[in-house]
Amino acid sequence: MLRGFGLTSGSLPGRQASLTDVAVLAGVSHMTVSRVVNKTGPVSAATRAKVLAAVEKLSYRPNSAARALVTGKSGILGVVTLDSTLYGPASTLYGIEHAAREAGYSVTITSVGTPNSSAIAEAIETLRRLAVEGIVVIAPHAAASKSLEGAPLDIPLVAVGGGQEAPVPMIAVDQADGARRATEHLLALGHKTVWHVAGPVDWLEAQDRETAWRQTLKRHRVRAPRIIRGDWSSRSGYAAGQALAREKDLTAVFVANDQMALGLLRAFTEAGIAVPKDVHVVGFDDIPEAAYFSPPLTTVRQDFIEVGRRTFRQLAEQIDGREPAARDLVPAELIVRESTGPR
Amino acid sequence: MLRGFGLTSGSLPGRQASLTDVAVLAGVSHMTVSRVVNKTGPVSAATRAKVLAAVEKLSYRPNSAARALVTGKSGILGVVTLDSTLYGPASTLYGIEHAAREAGYSVTITSVGTPNSSAIAEAIETLRRLAVEGIVVIAPHAAASKSLEGAPLDIPLVAVGGGQEAPVPMIAVDQADGARRATEHLLALGHKTVWHVAGPVDWLEAQDRETAWRQTLKRHRVRAPRIIRGDWSSRSGYAAGQALAREKDLTAVFVANDQMALGLLRAFTEAGIAVPKDVHVVGFDDIPEAAYFSPPLTTVRQDFIEVGRRTFRQLAEQIDGREPAARDLVPAELIVRESTGPR
DNA sequence: CCCAGGGTTGTTACCGCGAACACTGGCCTC
DNA sequence: GAGGCCAGTGTTCGCGGTAACAACCCTGGG
């Protein structure tokens, strides 16, 4: 059995069958075949049957290049993404791909190693050359966001996670909301203050989380300790943990992502600091592993699938010529686990 | 500044400039423009300059659909992948994308939720409709592999991680090699036997690791304990850990991936079993976080970037009509950390 | 009985590009 | 001085599809 691969007994003339080939076999004009294939225009039942038989026999497949040429629509969306396996970007990508495929679009990706202006511009240019109908830039990066300021206006474009003042329509999880929830959760547990291990300065999400943390502390009239900065990696979280272990008034830490929190926990364990007994820790992202850290991590969940879905919708609206909302924030959710449990 | 976006002062006639538009502006024929743009055929320096000026002025961008139509080459590769954020598949995808982009190809992805025959067949069909020049199937799954048996033979196709008897050319990390190294490492530490937490039965990589583990034990004349099976998730590893905690002769466990190992470590911690003091644990994958587990995890590193690179090379050879090797295995590497450290 | 009109089918004209081939001049060779 | 070669350029054609319109058949109403 050739399970649905369409490699039936049809002759193999060395190249794909075209509309005309089908038309000749079915004894009709190529336009009639086109009408059957695309279900446009009226075709009698008898003719349709003949055509479909011929289509099957030749395992005809429409040529998307020809169709794109004449219609001006490629049916392709482009996604610019980081070439990392960071949980957020990867999840978002699948969210977009899923929504796009359901709507009949294909998704082409172009990854960038470091999201600086020229790399992003180049990636966008590459995608445009492919005649994509719209572009998503997943690059929650200051430089990336900045590079979009001069972005082409003649093609639908959406940014994902692009900070407060993105120059193009943007979808993101509400970072400030999540960071506020995390910080207030810790304050509500009675801590005098909350330390923060931040992400890289040039990441907008890191900035947003840091700002919200600082504002929350201020609103509660609490002095903010000095900040420790990591690069999202567990390694940097480990280093941060070693640094924090030397602080004496340390009782609560809000870490900007779960991977760093893992490194932090490891460093604390080595330093003899018990979590949650001595220190409470909150992460960000809720990666699938977070529930199995030692101890299980309280963290802020981001619904990346929903982000992907809304991103596609936003793009589709632009493509269809409707004026979309400029910003769309997906709320965050606090997931409480043992790392902020009873002491 | 419009940093390289090519949105210069040129007129905006409502649609993209074509070769002919450029030709008219430059006062030459469209073929001359084509020759300049593609660097084919001889063009005098003066003419080239005129043409390039016109290209710049109109911000001309070649229409890939038209080019694909006339050349029969789309410059697109298709990748069928799981819509999960599993470390392996995601890393491999970026490896492929990177190699492909360097060679001037674009990569279009189609994700499948569950890799059964019909889903894979459908994904391949979707990609073929897009006129991709070659297809990569990342689906280290028994069903997926099986579905490739009836795969179309008229388009270059490569499988990634497709078990021993893949019906199409295949690239993978040498699972047996990795599992053997892991098991022998534990045996060399003096353990009487080695337990195994396996991946899902329908994953070929899980089968390969399990088989190699079993064979290694047999070669050392050691009786294999009953197997525990998970689904790659930390959650399932946690459950496995709870089950294993009840075994009395437990001293060494080889877990089929790092996420499950994390869950296992968590369960052991809760059960009062110390790693590495009471039990040694080895994982598989070397995800970036593994070095920061508690304790840091001994594991088997898989070079997914290399897999991606070789996958693209394999595909490129098929596209160019060279006959590629049918199988290509990337060696695995054992990374020793504290989870198999001094007791 | 003729004509209007709708359902059905065919014809023609491109879409933007590259392959193949034709054409123009020098310049070199014998 | 005629022929050949080659760098440089142009013309023509068609890739496989869709849009627009033309042409045909059949039916029903006047």
Side-chain angles (χ1 to χ4, degrees), chain B residues 178-230:
Chain B
R180 187 182 49 70
R181 284 171 198 262
T183 310
E184 294 202 323
H185 170 62
L186 287 168
L187 290 175
L189 290 171
H191 294 284
K192 285 223 264 301
T193 190
V194 175
W195 290 69
H196 182 47
V197 177
V201 266
D202 51 351
W203 279 66
L204 297 164
E205 300 182 347
Q207 288 176 12
D208 289 351
R209 290 173 202 173
E210 177 183 333
T211 303
W213 160 76
R214 207 179 287 283
Q215 286 179 346
T216 305
L217 290 188
K218 182 178 253 176
R219 199 165 48 247
H220 286 262
R221 312 215 184 290
V222 170
R223 210 178 61 76
R226 74 187 166 86
I227 214 164
I228 316 280
R229 201 169 291 284

Short mmCIF file of all heavy atoms in Angstrom, two decimals, chain B residues 178-230:
data_model
loop_
_atom_site.label_atom_id
_atom_site.label_comp_id
_atom_site.label_asym_id
_atom_site.label_seq_id
_atom_site.Cartn_x
_atom_site.Cartn_y
_atom_site.Cartn_z
N GLY B 178 25.94 5.41 22.33
CA GLY B 178 25.75 6.22 23.52
C GLY B 178 25.25 5.39 24.69
O GLY B 178 25.75 5.52 25.82
N ALA B 179 24.27 4.55 24.44
CA ALA B 179 23.71 3.74 25.52
C ALA B 179 24.75 2.77 26.06
O ALA B 179 24.82 2.50 27.26
CB ALA B 179 22.49 2.98 25.01
N ARG B 180 25.56 2.23 25.17
CA ARG B 180 26.62 1.32 25.60
C ARG B 180 27.61 2.06 26.51
O ARG B 180 27.98 1.58 27.58
CB ARG B 180 27.35 0.75 24.37
CG ARG B 180 28.36 -0.32 24.69
CD ARG B 180 29.07 -0.80 23.44
NE ARG B 180 29.59 0.29 22.59
CZ ARG B 180 30.61 1.07 22.95
NH1 ARG B 180 31.22 0.90 24.11
NH2 ARG B 180 30.99 2.04 22.14
N ARG B 181 28.01 3.23 26.08
CA ARG B 181 28.95 4.01 26.90
C ARG B 181 28.37 4.27 28.28
O ARG B 181 29.06 4.15 29.30
CB ARG B 181 29.23 5.36 26.24
CG ARG B 181 30.18 5.29 25.06
CD ARG B 181 30.22 6.64 24.36
NE ARG B 181 30.75 6.53 23.02
CZ ARG B 181 32.03 6.78 22.70
NH1 ARG B 181 32.86 7.17 23.64
NH2 ARG B 181 32.45 6.64 21.47
N ALA B 182 27.11 4.65 28.32
CA ALA B 182 26.46 4.96 29.59
C ALA B 182 26.45 3.73 30.50
O ALA B 182 26.83 3.78 31.67
CB ALA B 182 25.03 5.46 29.35
N THR B 183 26.02 2.61 29.91
CA THR B 183 25.90 1.39 30.71
C THR B 183 27.26 0.90 31.18
O THR B 183 27.44 0.53 32.35
CB THR B 183 25.21 0.30 29.87
OG1 THR B 183 24.01 0.83 29.29
CG2 THR B 183 24.86 -0.91 30.73
N GLU B 184 28.23 0.92 30.30
CA GLU B 184 29.56 0.44 30.69
C GLU B 184 30.20 1.36 31.72
O GLU B 184 30.93 0.90 32.60
CB GLU B 184 30.45 0.32 29.46
CG GLU B 184 29.93 -0.78 28.54
CD GLU B 184 30.98 -1.35 27.60
OE1 GLU B 184 31.81 -0.55 27.13
OE2 GLU B 184 30.94 -2.57 27.36
N HIS B 185 29.92 2.63 31.61
CA HIS B 185 30.43 3.57 32.61
C HIS B 185 29.94 3.15 34.00
O HIS B 185 30.72 3.10 34.96
CB HIS B 185 29.96 4.98 32.26
CG HIS B 185 30.22 6.00 33.33
ND1 HIS B 185 31.49 6.35 33.76
CD2 HIS B 185 29.37 6.77 34.08
CE1 HIS B 185 31.41 7.28 34.70
NE2 HIS B 185 30.13 7.54 34.91
N LEU B 186 28.67 2.81 34.08
CA LEU B 186 28.10 2.41 35.38
C LEU B 186 28.67 1.07 35.83
O LEU B 186 29.02 0.89 37.00
CB LEU B 186 26.57 2.35 35.27
CG LEU B 186 25.89 3.73 35.20
CD1 LEU B 186 24.42 3.61 34.82
CD2 LEU B 186 26.03 4.48 36.53
N LEU B 187 28.77 0.15 34.90
CA LEU B 187 29.32 -1.16 35.27
C LEU B 187 30.76 -1.02 35.75
O LEU B 187 31.19 -1.67 36.72
CB LEU B 187 29.26 -2.13 34.08
CG LEU B 187 27.84 -2.59 33.70
CD1 LEU B 187 27.88 -3.44 32.44
CD2 LEU B 187 27.20 -3.36 34.86
N ALA B 188 31.51 -0.14 35.09
CA ALA B 188 32.91 0.06 35.46
C ALA B 188 33.04 0.63 36.87
O ALA B 188 34.09 0.50 37.51
CB ALA B 188 33.59 0.99 34.46
N LEU B 189 31.97 1.26 37.32
CA LEU B 189 32.00 1.80 38.68
C LEU B 189 31.72 0.72 39.72
O LEU B 189 31.68 0.99 40.92
CB LEU B 189 30.96 2.92 38.82
CG LEU B 189 31.30 4.21 38.05
CD1 LEU B 189 30.12 5.17 38.05
CD2 LEU B 189 32.53 4.89 38.67
N GLY B 190 31.52 -0.50 39.25
CA GLY B 190 31.40 -1.62 40.17
C GLY B 190 29.98 -2.06 40.51
O GLY B 190 29.78 -2.89 41.40
N HIS B 191 29.00 -1.52 39.79
CA HIS B 191 27.62 -1.90 40.12
C HIS B 191 27.32 -3.32 39.65
O HIS B 191 27.80 -3.76 38.62
CB HIS B 191 26.64 -0.93 39.46
CG HIS B 191 26.77 0.45 40.02
ND1 HIS B 191 26.26 0.81 41.25
CD2 HIS B 191 27.37 1.57 39.54
CE1 HIS B 191 26.54 2.08 41.49
NE2 HIS B 191 27.22 2.56 40.47
N LYS B 192 26.52 -4.01 40.45
CA LYS B 192 26.17 -5.39 40.10
C LYS B 192 25.28 -5.43 38.86
O LYS B 192 25.35 -6.34 38.06
CB LYS B 192 25.46 -6.06 41.28
CG LYS B 192 26.43 -6.43 42.40
CD LYS B 192 26.15 -7.81 42.97
CE LYS B 192 25.28 -7.75 44.20
NZ LYS B 192 25.85 -6.95 45.31
N THR B 193 24.40 -4.44 38.76
CA THR B 193 23.58 -4.34 37.55
C THR B 193 23.18 -2.89 37.35
O THR B 193 23.47 -2.02 38.20
CB THR B 193 22.32 -5.24 37.62
OG1 THR B 193 21.71 -5.27 36.33
CG2 THR B 193 21.32 -4.69 38.64
N VAL B 194 22.53 -2.64 36.24
CA VAL B 194 22.12 -1.27 35.91
C VAL B 194 20.64 -1.29 35.51
O VAL B 194 20.25 -2.04 34.62
CB VAL B 194 22.95 -0.71 34.73
CG1 VAL B 194 22.43 0.66 34.31
CG2 VAL B 194 24.42 -0.64 35.10
N TRP B 195 19.84 -0.49 36.21
CA TRP B 195 18.43 -0.37 35.85
C TRP B 195 18.28 0.60 34.67
O TRP B 195 19.18 1.38 34.40
CB TRP B 195 17.62 0.14 37.05
CG TRP B 195 17.51 -0.89 38.14
CD1 TRP B 195 18.51 -1.33 38.94
CD2 TRP B 195 16.34 -1.60 38.53
NE1 TRP B 195 18.06 -2.28 39.82
CE2 TRP B 195 16.72 -2.46 39.58
CE3 TRP B 195 15.01 -1.61 38.11
CZ2 TRP B 195 15.81 -3.33 40.22
CZ3 TRP B 195 14.10 -2.45 38.74
CH2 TRP B 195 14.51 -3.31 39.78
N HIS B 196 17.14 0.49 34.02
CA HIS B 196 16.93 1.37 32.87
C HIS B 196 15.53 1.97 32.88
O HIS B 196 14.54 1.25 33.02
CB HIS B 196 17.15 0.58 31.56
CG HIS B 196 17.01 1.41 30.32
ND1 HIS B 196 17.61 2.64 30.15
CD2 HIS B 196 16.35 1.19 29.15
CE1 HIS B 196 17.32 3.13 28.97
NE2 HIS B 196 16.55 2.28 28.33
N VAL B 197 15.48 3.29 32.77
CA VAL B 197 14.19 3.96 32.55
C VAL B 197 14.15 4.31 31.07
O VAL B 197 14.93 5.16 30.60
CB VAL B 197 14.06 5.23 33.41
CG1 VAL B 197 12.74 5.93 33.09
CG2 VAL B 197 14.14 4.88 34.88
N ALA B 198 13.30 3.63 30.35
CA ALA B 198 13.27 3.76 28.89
C ALA B 198 12.29 4.83 28.43
O ALA B 198 11.44 5.28 29.20
CB ALA B 198 12.90 2.42 28.27
N GLY B 199 12.43 5.21 27.17
CA GLY B 199 11.47 6.13 26.56
C GLY B 199 10.29 5.35 26.02
O GLY B 199 10.20 4.14 26.17
N PRO B 200 9.37 6.03 25.37
CA PRO B 200 8.15 5.38 24.85
C PRO B 200 8.50 4.27 23.85
O PRO B 200 9.41 4.44 23.04
CB PRO B 200 7.43 6.52 24.13
CG PRO B 200 8.04 7.78 24.62
CD PRO B 200 9.42 7.46 25.07
N VAL B 201 7.77 3.16 23.94
CA VAL B 201 8.03 2.03 23.04
C VAL B 201 8.03 2.41 21.58
O VAL B 201 8.76 1.83 20.78
CB VAL B 201 6.97 0.90 23.17
CG1 VAL B 201 7.43 -0.14 24.14
CG2 VAL B 201 5.62 1.45 23.52
N ASP B 202 7.20 3.37 21.21
CA ASP B 202 7.07 3.65 19.79
C ASP B 202 8.12 4.64 19.29
O ASP B 202 8.06 5.09 18.15
CB ASP B 202 5.66 4.15 19.47
CG ASP B 202 5.25 5.28 20.37
OD1 ASP B 202 5.97 5.56 21.34
OD2 ASP B 202 4.22 5.91 20.11
N TRP B 203 9.07 4.98 20.12
CA TRP B 203 10.18 5.81 19.67
C TRP B 203 11.37 4.91 19.38
O TRP B 203 11.85 4.18 20.25
CB TRP B 203 10.57 6.84 20.72
CG TRP B 203 9.69 8.04 20.73
CD1 TRP B 203 8.38 8.07 21.05
CD2 TRP B 203 10.07 9.36 20.37
NE1 TRP B 203 7.90 9.35 20.93
CE2 TRP B 203 8.92 10.16 20.53
CE3 TRP B 203 11.26 9.97 19.96
CZ2 TRP B 203 8.93 11.53 20.26
CZ3 TRP B 203 11.27 11.33 19.70
CH2 TRP B 203 10.11 12.09 19.85
N LEU B 204 11.88 5.02 18.17
CA LEU B 204 13.00 4.17 17.78
C LEU B 204 14.23 4.43 18.62
O LEU B 204 14.95 3.51 18.98
CB LEU B 204 13.31 4.41 16.30
CG LEU B 204 12.13 4.02 15.41
CD1 LEU B 204 12.29 4.60 14.03
CD2 LEU B 204 12.02 2.51 15.34
N GLU B 205 14.46 5.68 18.95
CA GLU B 205 15.63 5.99 19.76
C GLU B 205 15.52 5.31 21.12
O GLU B 205 16.51 4.84 21.67
CB GLU B 205 15.76 7.49 19.94
CG GLU B 205 15.91 8.22 18.62
CD GLU B 205 16.08 9.72 18.78
OE1 GLU B 205 15.84 10.21 19.90
OE2 GLU B 205 16.47 10.37 17.80
N ALA B 206 14.31 5.29 21.64
CA ALA B 206 14.10 4.62 22.92
C ALA B 206 14.43 3.13 22.79
O ALA B 206 15.10 2.54 23.64
CB ALA B 206 12.66 4.81 23.38
N GLN B 207 13.97 2.55 21.69
CA GLN B 207 14.23 1.13 21.46
C GLN B 207 15.73 0.87 21.34
O GLN B 207 16.26 -0.07 21.93
CB GLN B 207 13.54 0.67 20.17
CG GLN B 207 12.03 0.58 20.29
CD GLN B 207 11.38 0.21 18.95
OE1 GLN B 207 12.08 -0.17 18.00
NE2 GLN B 207 10.08 0.35 18.87
N ASP B 208 16.39 1.71 20.55
CA ASP B 208 17.83 1.52 20.34
C ASP B 208 18.60 1.60 21.66
O ASP B 208 19.50 0.81 21.92
CB ASP B 208 18.37 2.58 19.37
CG ASP B 208 17.88 2.32 17.95
OD1 ASP B 208 17.30 1.26 17.70
OD2 ASP B 208 18.11 3.20 17.10
N ARG B 209 18.24 2.57 22.47
CA ARG B 209 18.95 2.73 23.74
C ARG B 209 18.70 1.53 24.64
O ARG B 209 19.60 1.02 25.29
CB ARG B 209 18.50 4.02 24.44
CG ARG B 209 18.98 5.26 23.71
CD ARG B 209 18.41 6.55 24.27
NE ARG B 209 18.49 7.58 23.22
CZ ARG B 209 17.96 8.80 23.31
NH1 ARG B 209 17.31 9.16 24.40
NH2 ARG B 209 18.08 9.64 22.31
N GLU B 210 17.47 1.10 24.63
CA GLU B 210 17.09 -0.03 25.47
C GLU B 210 17.83 -1.29 25.03
O GLU B 210 18.39 -2.03 25.84
CB GLU B 210 15.58 -0.23 25.37
CG GLU B 210 15.06 -1.42 26.14
CD GLU B 210 13.56 -1.61 25.93
OE1 GLU B 210 12.88 -0.60 25.65
OE2 GLU B 210 13.09 -2.75 26.03
N THR B 211 17.84 -1.52 23.73
CA THR B 211 18.50 -2.71 23.20
C THR B 211 19.99 -2.71 23.53
O THR B 211 20.55 -3.72 23.97
CB THR B 211 18.32 -2.78 21.67
OG1 THR B 211 16.92 -2.76 21.38
CG2 THR B 211 18.95 -4.04 21.11
N ALA B 212 20.61 -1.58 23.33
CA ALA B 212 22.05 -1.49 23.59
C ALA B 212 22.33 -1.70 25.07
O ALA B 212 23.32 -2.34 25.46
CB ALA B 212 22.59 -0.14 23.14
N TRP B 213 21.48 -1.16 25.92
CA TRP B 213 21.63 -1.34 27.36
C TRP B 213 21.56 -2.83 27.69
O TRP B 213 22.42 -3.37 28.38
CB TRP B 213 20.50 -0.58 28.06
CG TRP B 213 20.20 -1.02 29.47
CD1 TRP B 213 20.93 -0.75 30.58
CD2 TRP B 213 19.08 -1.81 29.89
NE1 TRP B 213 20.33 -1.32 31.69
CE2 TRP B 213 19.20 -1.98 31.29
CE3 TRP B 213 17.99 -2.38 29.23
CZ2 TRP B 213 18.26 -2.70 32.04
CZ3 TRP B 213 17.06 -3.09 29.97
CH2 TRP B 213 17.20 -3.25 31.35
N ARG B 214 20.55 -3.49 27.10
CA ARG B 214 20.35 -4.91 27.37
C ARG B 214 21.55 -5.74 26.88
O ARG B 214 22.05 -6.63 27.59
CB ARG B 214 19.07 -5.39 26.68
CG ARG B 214 18.39 -6.56 27.33
CD ARG B 214 17.12 -6.95 26.59
NE ARG B 214 16.01 -6.02 26.78
CZ ARG B 214 15.27 -5.98 27.89
NH1 ARG B 214 15.52 -6.81 28.90
NH2 ARG B 214 14.28 -5.13 27.99
N GLN B 215 22.01 -5.41 25.70
CA GLN B 215 23.13 -6.17 25.14
C GLN B 215 24.41 -5.96 25.94
O GLN B 215 25.21 -6.89 26.12
CB GLN B 215 23.37 -5.75 23.69
CG GLN B 215 22.31 -6.31 22.75
CD GLN B 215 22.53 -5.86 21.32
OE1 GLN B 215 23.31 -4.95 21.07
NE2 GLN B 215 21.84 -6.50 20.38
N THR B 216 24.59 -4.74 26.39
CA THR B 216 25.79 -4.47 27.18
C THR B 216 25.78 -5.28 28.47
O THR B 216 26.79 -5.88 28.87
CB THR B 216 25.89 -2.96 27.50
OG1 THR B 216 25.83 -2.23 26.29
CG2 THR B 216 27.18 -2.65 28.23
N LEU B 217 24.63 -5.32 29.11
CA LEU B 217 24.52 -6.11 30.34
C LEU B 217 24.82 -7.58 30.04
O LEU B 217 25.57 -8.25 30.76
CB LEU B 217 23.12 -5.98 30.94
CG LEU B 217 22.75 -4.61 31.53
CD1 LEU B 217 21.40 -4.71 32.25
CD2 LEU B 217 23.81 -4.13 32.50
N LYS B 218 24.23 -8.05 28.96
CA LYS B 218 24.42 -9.46 28.59
C LYS B 218 25.89 -9.76 28.34
O LYS B 218 26.44 -10.76 28.79
CB LYS B 218 23.60 -9.77 27.33
CG LYS B 218 23.68 -11.22 26.89
CD LYS B 218 22.80 -11.47 25.66
CE LYS B 218 21.55 -12.25 26.02
NZ LYS B 218 20.64 -12.41 24.88
N ARG B 219 26.54 -8.86 27.64
CA ARG B 219 27.96 -9.06 27.34
C ARG B 219 28.78 -9.14 28.62
O ARG B 219 29.80 -9.81 28.69
CB ARG B 219 28.46 -7.94 26.44
CG ARG B 219 29.74 -8.29 25.70
CD ARG B 219 30.06 -7.34 24.56
NE ARG B 219 29.94 -5.95 24.92
CZ ARG B 219 29.01 -5.12 24.43
NH1 ARG B 219 28.15 -5.55 23.55
NH2 ARG B 219 28.97 -3.87 24.81
N HIS B 220 28.31 -8.43 29.62
CA HIS B 220 29.02 -8.48 30.90
C HIS B 220 28.44 -9.55 31.83
O HIS B 220 28.74 -9.56 33.02
CB HIS B 220 28.96 -7.09 31.57
CG HIS B 220 29.85 -6.08 30.92
ND1 HIS B 220 31.09 -5.76 31.40
CD2 HIS B 220 29.70 -5.34 29.80
CE1 HIS B 220 31.65 -4.84 30.63
NE2 HIS B 220 30.82 -4.57 29.63
N ARG B 221 27.60 -10.40 31.25
CA ARG B 221 26.99 -11.49 32.01
C ARG B 221 26.25 -10.99 33.25
O ARG B 221 26.41 -11.51 34.35
CB ARG B 221 28.05 -12.51 32.44
CG ARG B 221 28.97 -12.93 31.33
CD ARG B 221 29.39 -14.38 31.43
NE ARG B 221 30.36 -14.73 30.40
CZ ARG B 221 30.04 -14.83 29.11
NH1 ARG B 221 28.80 -14.62 28.71
NH2 ARG B 221 30.97 -15.17 28.23
N VAL B 222 25.50 -9.93 33.05
CA VAL B 222 24.72 -9.37 34.15
C VAL B 222 23.25 -9.51 33.80
O VAL B 222 22.86 -9.28 32.66
CB VAL B 222 25.08 -7.87 34.34
CG1 VAL B 222 24.11 -7.21 35.30
CG2 VAL B 222 26.50 -7.73 34.85
N ARG B 223 22.47 -9.90 34.79
CA ARG B 223 21.05 -10.06 34.53
C ARG B 223 20.40 -8.67 34.46
O ARG B 223 20.66 -7.81 35.31
CB ARG B 223 20.40 -10.87 35.65
CG ARG B 223 19.17 -11.69 35.19
CD ARG B 223 18.62 -12.50 36.36
NE ARG B 223 18.19 -11.65 37.47
CZ ARG B 223 17.04 -10.95 37.46
NH1 ARG B 223 16.25 -10.99 36.41
NH2 ARG B 223 16.71 -10.21 38.49
N ALA B 224 19.55 -8.47 33.48
CA ALA B 224 18.89 -7.17 33.33
C ALA B 224 17.66 -7.11 34.22
O ALA B 224 16.81 -8.01 34.18
CB ALA B 224 18.47 -6.96 31.87
N PRO B 225 17.54 -6.06 35.01
CA PRO B 225 16.34 -5.90 35.83
C PRO B 225 15.14 -5.58 34.93
O PRO B 225 15.31 -5.26 33.76
CB PRO B 225 16.65 -4.70 36.72
CG PRO B 225 18.10 -4.40 36.51
CD PRO B 225 18.48 -4.95 35.19
N ARG B 226 13.94 -5.64 35.49
CA ARG B 226 12.78 -5.27 34.71
C ARG B 226 12.91 -3.80 34.31
O ARG B 226 13.55 -3.00 34.99
CB ARG B 226 11.49 -5.50 35.49
CG ARG B 226 11.25 -4.49 36.59
CD ARG B 226 10.05 -4.85 37.46
NE ARG B 226 10.05 -4.06 38.68
CZ ARG B 226 9.49 -2.85 38.76
NH1 ARG B 226 8.89 -2.33 37.72
NH2 ARG B 226 9.54 -2.16 39.90
N ILE B 227 12.28 -3.49 33.20
CA ILE B 227 12.44 -2.14 32.66
C ILE B 227 11.31 -1.24 33.16
O ILE B 227 10.19 -1.70 33.41
CB ILE B 227 12.44 -2.22 31.12
CG1 ILE B 227 13.36 -1.15 30.56
CG2 ILE B 227 11.04 -2.09 30.57
CD1 ILE B 227 13.71 -1.43 29.12
N ILE B 228 11.62 0.03 33.35
CA ILE B 228 10.59 1.02 33.67
C ILE B 228 10.44 1.90 32.44
O ILE B 228 11.44 2.25 31.82
CB ILE B 228 11.02 1.92 34.85
CG1 ILE B 228 11.64 1.12 35.97
CG2 ILE B 228 9.85 2.78 35.31
CD1 ILE B 228 10.65 0.43 36.86
N ARG B 229 9.21 2.24 32.12
CA ARG B 229 9.05 3.00 30.89
C ARG B 229 8.42 4.36 31.15
O ARG B 229 7.46 4.49 31.91
CB ARG B 229 8.17 2.22 29.91
CG ARG B 229 8.36 2.66 28.47
CD ARG B 229 7.69 1.70 27.51
NE ARG B 229 8.35 0.41 27.46
CZ ARG B 229 9.49 0.19 26.81
NH1 ARG B 229 10.12 1.17 26.21
NH2 ARG B 229 10.02 -1.01 26.80
N GLY B 230 8.98 5.38 30.53
CA GLY B 230 8.42 6.74 30.65
C GLY B 230 8.06 7.28 29.29
O GLY B 230 8.04 6.55 28.30
#
